[in-house]
Amino acid sequence: MNILELKDNIIGGSYDDSFLKLYGEVDLAKARYLKACDEYCKLYNNTDNMFMFSAPGRTEVGGNHTDHEHGRVLTGSVNLDVIAIVCPNNDNVVRIKSEGYNMDEVDLSSLAKIENEEGKAIALIRGVLNFFKENGYTIGGFNAYTTSNVLKGSGLSSSAAFETLIGTILSGLYNNMSVSAIDIAIIGQYAENIYFGKPCGLMDQMACSVGGLVHIDFANPKKPLVKQVEFDLNAHDYSLCITDTKGSHADLTGDYAAIPAEMKKAAACFGKEVLRDVSKAELLANLNKIREEVNDRAALRAIHFVEENERVQREVNALQTDDFTGFLDMVKSSGDSSFKYLQNVYTSHDAAHQNVSIALAASDCILGKNGVSRVHGGGFAGTIQAFVKNTAVPEYKAAMDGIFGEGSCNVLKIRKYGGIKVL
C-alpha cells in the first residue's frame, strides 16, 4: 500500500475499529496518524510499501520498588503511545526521525556498541538490531517517522515504549510478527542495559510489549513469570489519572539509589542478596538486627517490601475475582506504605518542598470515596496515580490542574494491547 492509499484508508475509516480499541476514540487518532504520514513524506522518497506500528507507555499499579529485590509487580500499558509510519528499504540502513529530534541512522553492517552513543536514542536502536541479529532473527533496513505522546519524566516509560516499537517493527517487517512480546521486552532491556547504559529492570519493557495489565514475578529475574490479568477499567466506570506535580528531579539520584542499597543491606543481615529470600516472619523477628547493623530506615523499607510483595498477589486475586473495591483498598494501602515505610514521597534533604505529598493530600480531600491515589514510579518528585470514578474525573482534573498547572492531570485508560502492527 502506498502512502496516498494509506491516507485515503485512514480518512475513509478503514482503521476506525483499531483506533477505538487502542485509544478509546477515533477522530484525534486519525488526525495524529495523518499528520505522521505527512511528516514521513517530507523526509523520504520511498512511499510504496507502508506500515503503521504502535507501542504504549506503561503505569505501575502495584509493586513499588519491589522488582530490584526479585519481587512481584502489577503493571499495565496505557492509551498513550509512540507510533511509527514505516517503509522497508534496500539500503541496509535503519533511519528513524522522531518528532522533535534529529534523524538517527544505523548501518546494519556495524552494530557493535559505540560508547559515545550511551544515553541517546540511537543506542537503543543499535542495541535492538544487534540482539535480533545475534540471536538468529532476520533484520533489514527501513525508514520511519515516529511521534510520541507518552509523557517524558512521568514514570510512563517513554524509553521502554520506544524500544518496544523498534522490536515490533523488526518483527513485523522481517519476521512475520513471530517474535513474542516477552522476547521483545527482553530485547529492549538488553538495549537499555548494554547499549544505552541504564541498568533498568524488565518491568517497563514487559508492560509496554505485552499490553493490558501484567503480573510479573521476578523470583528468577532471568526467567520472570509473566501473566496477563483480565481487567476492564471501563466496566467499573473508573479512569486512571496521572498527575505531574512538577517537582524537580535534580539532585535526587542519591535518594533513588539509597532504596535498593538499603534493602540489599537489610537482606545481607540474613546472609541474603535480596529481600525476596527473607521471610516476613524472619524479618519481623530480627528487626533490631537491621536497625543495629544498617539503620531504622532500612528496616522500614524492608517491611514495605515484604508487605508490598504480598499485596501485589492480593491485588491480582482481587481483580481475578472481580473484587474491584478490594483492589482499590490495596492500591491505597500500597500508597500509604510507600509514604510511611518506603519513604519515597519527598526527599528528607528538602522537606520544605513536597509536591507529591501535596498532590496526595489534595487527592484524598477531593476524591473522598470517589477514588484512591498513590505515588507513581520511583517517587520523591514527579507524578501520582489515581483511580477515579468517571463522574468525579472532571472535578478532580480541574483541581489538580489548578494546583500544578493546566494539563498536569492526564486522564488515561488501561490499553489491552502492547506493541502492535496497526497496518
Side-chain angles (χ1 to χ4, degrees):
M1 181 183 301
N2 65 42
I3 194 75
L4 294 178
E5 293 171 328
L6 174 58
K7 291 180 66 176
D8 285 344
N9 283 344
I10 294 173
I11 293 169
S14 296
Y15 310 114
D16 284 4
D17 287 345
S18 296
F19 292 151
L20 190 62
K21 290 176 181 177
L22 290 175
Y23 308 109
E25 60 82 32
V26 173
D27 291 342
L28 291 176
K30 290 172 76 168
R32 185 174 174 225
Y33 277 79
L34 285 169
K35 181 181 178 182
C37 288
D38 289 339
E39 294 298 324
Y40 177 95
C41 289
K42 293 176 184 178
L43 297 165
Y44 307 111
N45 292 322
N46 61 330
T47 59
D48 291 331
N49 187 19
M50 305 305 301
F51 297 86
M52 301 188 298
F53 293 87
S54 160
R58 67 92 191 157
T59 184
E60 169 204 288
V61 178
N64 196 210
H65 280 282
T66 54
D67 57 335
H68 50 71
E69 299 306 298
H70 298 186
R72 303 182 184 96
V73 298
L74 179 62
T75 184
S77 57
V78 297
N79 58 333
L80 297 178
D81 64 349
V82 52
I83 65 172
I85 306 299
V86 182
C87 183
N89 66 45
N90 297 316
D91 303 336
N92 209 40
V93 173
V94 167
R95 301 181 184 90
I96 299 178
K97 172 67 170 72
S98 296
E99 183 180 16
Y101 297 90
N102 294 328
M103 175 86 73
D104 286 320
E105 294 191 13
V106 177
D107 190 322
L108 301 188
S109 65
S110 179
L111 297 179
K113 178 181 177 179
I114 299 175
E115 294 297 331
N116 64 11
E117 288 182 350
E118 276 199 1
K120 300 176 183 178
I122 193 170
L124 299 176
I125 300 167
R126 195 181 302 276
V128 171
L129 284 163
N130 186 66
F131 192 103
F132 265 75
K133 181 180 179 180
E134 293 299 315
N135 287 273
Y137 297 112
T138 302
I139 62 173
F142 62 85
N143 298 336
Y145 174 80
T146 78
T147 180
S148 175
N149 59 12
V150 181
L151 307 172
K152 296 186 184 301
S154 64
L156 295 176
S157 297
S158 55
S159 60
F162 185 72
E163 296 152 17
T164 296
L165 181 73
I166 304 307
T168 306
I169 290 172
L170 290 170
S171 179
L173 294 185
Y174 295 108
N175 295 275
N176 198 31
M177 288 301 290
S178 64
V179 187
S180 75
I182 290 175
D183 284 341
I184 287 175
I186 291 170
I187 294 167
Q189 183 195 28
Y190 164 84
E192 190 151 349
N193 288 174
I194 306 302
Y195 278 66
F196 190 79
K198 180 181 177 182
C200 67
L202 189 57
M203 176 178 69
D204 296 350
Q205 290 81 3
M206 201 69 76
C208 295
S209 184
V210 174
L213 269 187
V214 184
H215 177 209
I216 311 171
D217 190 333
F218 289 105
N220 180 354
K222 293 183 178 180
K223 293 185 178 180
L225 298 177
V226 182
K227 185 176 182 180
Q228 280 189 302
V229 180
E230 292 298 324
F231 173 57
D232 186 355
L233 194 58
N234 286 324
H236 295 277
D237 294 322
Y238 269 72
S239 289
L240 171 67
C241 296
I242 301 292
T243 298
D244 182 359
T245 71
K246 307 298 174 63
S248 173
H249 288 83
D251 301 321
L252 293 177
T253 301
D255 293 283
Y256 292 125
I259 293 177
E262 290 182 1
M263 286 186 175
K264 285 175 171 39
K265 287 179 180 178
C269 293
F270 302 88
K272 307 295 184 182
E273 292 186 5
V274 293
L275 282 172
R276 179 61 180 268
D277 297 329
V278 181
S279 71
K280 182 163 70 172
E282 186 179 14
L283 174 70
L284 294 176
N286 293 277
L287 271 181
N288 281 339
K289 183 177 178 64
I290 301 174
R291 297 179 66 194
E292 293 167 3
E293 295 184 12
V294 191
N295 57 47
D296 283 357
R297 190 172 67 175
L300 289 167
R301 286 174 165 172
I303 290 173
H304 165 81
F305 172 82
V306 296
E307 288 287 311
E308 184 80 346
N309 199 44
E310 292 180 356
R311 188 180 293 113
V312 169
Q313 187 61 61
R314 293 198 298 271
E315 286 178 334
V316 171
N317 294 343
L319 292 175
Q320 290 176 332
T321 58
D322 203 30
D323 178 13
F324 190 64
T325 299
F327 166 74
L328 292 179
D329 288 343
M330 282 177 279
V331 170
K332 182 62 175 174
S333 294
S334 174
D336 290 344
S337 179
S338 291
F339 207 149
K340 292 190 294 185
Y341 309 135
L342 184 60
Q343 299 184 13
N344 70 329
V345 170
Y346 64 93
T347 174
S348 59
H349 305 299
D350 186 14
H353 296 96
Q354 298 190 32
N355 293 42
V356 174
S357 306
I358 291 293
L360 294 172
S363 296
D364 286 346
C365 294
I366 296 159
L367 292 174
K369 295 183 179 180
N370 291 321
V372 298
S373 64
R374 67 188 287 270
V375 65
H376 186 248
F380 299 109
T383 58
I384 69 162
Q385 172 194 84
F387 288 92
V388 182
K389 280 185 181 179
N390 288 338
T391 53
V393 165
E395 178 187 3
Y396 180 71
K397 176 173 170 52
M400 291 293 103
D401 285 352
I403 297 170
F404 299 105
E406 190 66 29
S408 296
C409 182
N410 295 270
V411 183
L412 308 178
K413 300 291 184 183
I414 298 294
R415 164 170 151 163
K416 293 183 178 180
Y417 308 95
I420 191 171
K421 181 169 72 171
V422 182
L423 165 65

